[in-house]
Amino acid sequence: MSVQERKERERAGRERLIVATARELAEQQGWDAVTTRRLAERIEYSQPVLYSHFRGKREIIGAVALQGATEMATAVRAATAAMDGPRERVAALARAYLDFAERNPAVYDAIFQLDGGLAYAHEDTPAPLKDAFAALLESLGEVAGEGVDPGLFTETFWAALHGLVTLTRAGRLPPENTEQRVKLLVDRLAMV
């Protein structure tokens, strides 16, 4: 291994450590607790080392969002792959999405609530975000209905799921009715 390859590997390792530590701190104490000073202390590097990888908290949030989008796409695909019919796939997708948001609230916020400096729904949208949407589209596109744009239907279904996550987390919807809400979404919106 060349010196350059070793340095690149070490740099990539530091970046992974920074992102993992930020994510852990955010999940434990919220994003307000994630500062470059605290991260530097936790990973035992100086703040200038952090700034050599990320220009600030916004870019760190973006890195967590990209990692989380990849994980969410994987979870949705794993949940839907085992299902036989469209109704089962859509229900599994909804449950996987809601479960991901519940298990990873800080990551979910990084993806969908916070400013990580990422472009959404644009040509320059990063690949992990496009893939997360594609994971939803794969199951939802098949139930969009005749004459309905599959992408638009997916956006609408996704917006409903996001609303359920947001309102449940805020205590506006009782969590014990989540399964009934999923059934309504599948039966009425997806109409499968």
Side-chain angles (χ1 to χ4, degrees):
M1 173 184 306
S2 73
V3 173
Q4 182 63 27
E5 289 172 330
R6 182 181 55 78
K7 285 183 179 184
E8 287 175 14
R9 191 179 74 208
E10 289 172 358
R11 180 173 177 74
R14 280 192 307 272
E15 278 190 17
R16 283 191 301 274
L17 180 60
I18 293 165
V19 171
T21 304
R23 181 176 174 163
E24 179 183 319
L25 188 57
E27 291 293 2
Q28 291 171 352
Q29 300 176 30
W31 279 104
D32 287 342
V34 179
T35 64
T36 54
R37 185 173 155 259
R38 289 184 84 185
L39 286 173
E41 288 171 3
R42 281 210 175 188
I43 64 173
E44 298 178 347
Y45 283 106
S46 67
Q47 284 182 304
V49 170
L50 262 78
Y51 285 117
S52 74
H53 291 276
F54 299 99
R55 287 183 282 194
K57 183 176 175 177
R58 182 178 186 220
E59 284 189 5
I60 294 169
I61 290 169
V64 170
L66 294 177
Q67 186 181 74
T70 298
E71 292 170 9
M72 188 180 75
T74 299
V76 165
R77 285 187 175 112
T80 59
M83 298 299 135
D84 288 330
R87 182 185 197 297
E88 291 78 14
R89 279 190 288 281
V90 172
L93 175 149
R95 286 185 196 99
Y97 184 97
L98 296 172
D99 183 55
F100 178 85
E102 184 179 347
R103 285 184 294 106
N104 306 282
V107 173
Y108 187 86
D109 287 348
I111 301 169
F112 298 116
Q113 303 285 98
L114 302 174
D115 179 9
L118 304 172
Y120 286 79
H122 292 297
E123 201 172 290
D124 60 341
T125 298
L129 298 178
K130 286 180 180 180
D131 188 53
F133 184 78
L136 300 176
L137 181 63
E138 289 162 11
S139 293
L140 293 169
E142 69 179 322
V143 299
E146 191 174 324
V148 177
D149 177 81
L152 186 61
F153 179 78
T154 299
E155 290 172 352
T156 303
F157 198 92
W158 169 32
L161 289 174
H162 179 69
L164 289 177
V165 168
T166 304
L167 292 169
T168 302
R169 282 176 56 189
R172 305 297 196 272
L173 295 176
E176 62 271 10
N177 295 331
T178 298
E179 190 57 36
Q180 292 168 299
R181 290 185 197 98
V182 168
K183 185 175 178 349
L184 281 171
L185 273 176
V186 172
D187 292 346
R188 302 288 191 235
L189 187 57
M191 300 183 72
V192 289

